[in-house]
Amino acid sequence: MLKAKGLNTAVGDEGGFAPKFKNEEQAFTFLMRAIKKAGYIPGKEVALATDIAASEFHDNGTYELKKGKKWSAEKMMARVASWQKKYPLVSIEDP
Protein backbone atom coordinates (compact mmCIF):
# COMPACT_ATOMS: atom_id res chain seq x y z
CA MET A 1 0.00 0.00 0.00
CA LEU A 2 2.87 2.38 0.75
CA LYS A 3 4.49 1.74 -2.60
CA ALA A 4 1.15 2.12 -4.43
CA LYS A 5 0.73 5.56 -2.82
CA GLY A 6 4.29 6.58 -3.72
CA LEU A 7 5.35 6.68 -0.07
CA ASN A 8 8.76 5.76 1.32
CA THR A 9 9.17 2.02 1.92
CA ALA A 10 12.64 2.16 3.49
CA VAL A 11 12.87 0.44 6.87
CA GLY A 12 13.96 2.56 9.83
CA ASP A 13 16.58 1.74 12.45
CA GLU A 14 14.08 -0.07 14.70
CA GLY A 15 12.53 -2.09 11.88
CA GLY A 16 9.56 0.11 11.03
CA PHE A 17 8.51 2.12 8.03
CA ALA A 18 8.76 5.90 8.19
CA PRO A 19 6.73 7.39 5.33
CA LYS A 20 5.91 11.09 5.36
CA PHE A 21 2.26 11.65 6.19
CA LYS A 22 0.62 15.06 6.59
CA ASN A 23 -0.21 14.33 10.23
CA GLU A 24 -0.68 11.56 12.76
CA GLU A 25 -4.34 11.10 11.86
CA GLN A 26 -3.43 10.29 8.27
CA ALA A 27 -0.88 7.72 9.48
CA PHE A 28 -3.37 6.01 11.81
CA THR A 29 -6.04 5.97 9.10
CA PHE A 30 -3.56 4.39 6.69
CA LEU A 31 -2.65 1.72 9.26
CA MET A 32 -6.30 0.89 9.88
CA ARG A 33 -6.92 0.46 6.14
CA ALA A 34 -3.82 -1.75 5.82
CA ILE A 35 -4.94 -3.97 8.72
CA LYS A 36 -8.40 -4.41 7.18
CA LYS A 37 -6.98 -4.99 3.69
CA ALA A 38 -4.79 -7.76 5.13
CA GLY A 39 -7.98 -9.43 6.39
CA TYR A 40 -7.61 -8.67 10.09
CA ILE A 41 -9.92 -6.97 12.55
CA PRO A 42 -8.35 -3.90 14.22
CA GLY A 43 -8.54 -4.10 18.00
CA LYS A 44 -9.39 -7.82 17.99
CA GLU A 45 -6.70 -9.48 15.92
CA VAL A 46 -4.25 -6.60 15.54
CA ALA A 47 -3.33 -3.81 17.93
CA LEU A 48 -1.12 -0.76 17.47
CA ALA A 49 1.85 0.52 19.43
CA THR A 50 3.58 3.84 18.95
CA ASP A 51 6.80 5.47 20.05
CA ILE A 52 6.03 9.18 20.03
CA ALA A 53 9.59 10.12 21.02
CA ALA A 54 8.26 13.29 22.62
CA SER A 55 11.54 13.83 24.46
CA GLU A 56 12.99 14.69 21.03
CA PHE A 57 10.71 17.73 20.61
CA HIS A 58 10.18 18.71 24.25
CA ASP A 59 11.74 22.00 25.27
CA ASN A 60 11.35 23.83 28.57
CA GLY A 61 7.86 22.55 29.41
CA THR A 62 6.38 22.67 25.89
CA TYR A 63 6.30 20.42 22.86
CA GLU A 64 7.24 21.98 19.54
CA LEU A 65 5.44 19.92 16.90
CA LYS A 66 6.06 22.22 13.96
CA LYS A 67 8.33 25.20 13.66
CA GLY A 68 6.76 27.84 15.90
CA LYS A 69 3.79 25.67 16.96
CA LYS A 70 4.12 24.78 20.65
CA TRP A 71 1.79 22.71 22.81
CA SER A 72 1.52 22.40 26.58
CA ALA A 73 1.91 19.00 28.22
CA GLU A 74 -1.86 18.99 28.85
CA LYS A 75 -2.66 19.58 25.18
CA MET A 76 -0.13 16.96 24.10
CA MET A 77 -1.63 14.36 26.44
CA ALA A 78 -5.17 15.21 25.33
CA ARG A 79 -4.08 14.53 21.75
CA VAL A 80 -2.57 11.18 22.72
CA ALA A 81 -5.72 10.29 24.69
CA SER A 82 -7.85 11.07 21.63
CA TRP A 83 -5.81 8.57 19.58
CA GLN A 84 -6.23 5.98 22.30
CA LYS A 85 -10.02 6.36 22.16
CA LYS A 86 -10.16 6.17 18.37
CA TYR A 87 -7.56 3.49 17.55
CA PRO A 88 -6.58 0.15 19.12
CA LEU A 89 -3.43 1.45 20.82
CA VAL A 90 -2.03 -0.93 23.42
CA SER A 91 1.33 0.75 23.96
CA ILE A 92 2.41 4.38 23.86
CA GLU A 93 6.10 4.90 24.42
CA ASP A 94 7.59 8.27 25.39
CA PRO A 95 4.49 10.47 25.20
Side-chain angles (χ1 to χ4, degrees):
M1 287 178 62
L2 291 171
K3 191 173 185 177
K5 292 281 186 185
L7 297 168
N8 187 352
T9 58
V11 177
D13 65 346
E14 291 184 359
F17 295 108
K20 298 245 186 236
F21 288 106
K22 291 180 187 175
N23 54 42
E24 301 86 6
E25 199 70 33
Q26 188 182 41
F28 282 125
T29 300
F30 189 92
L31 284 169
M32 299 305 286
R33 281 196 317 261
I35 292 166
K36 291 173 187 173
K37 185 173 182 173
Y40 295 103
I41 301 168
K44 294 201 183 277
E45 299 175 294
V46 176
L48 301 176
T50 185
D51 181 354
I52 297 171
S55 57
E56 295 296 317
F57 54 91
H58 177 264
D59 182 38
N60 201 26
T62 62
Y63 297 87
E64 188 167 354
L65 299 164
K66 293 182 180 177
K67 198 87 164 160
K69 184 175 182 181
K70 295 185 179 188
W71 286 10
S72 66
E74 293 79 14
K75 188 171 181 176
M76 182 69 184
M77 291 311 299
R79 178 71 173 234
V80 171
S82 75
W83 299 335
Q84 205 170 17
K85 289 177 186 172
K86 193 170 182 180
Y87 304 104
L89 284 169
V90 296
S91 176
I92 302 168
E93 185 179 342
D94 191 14

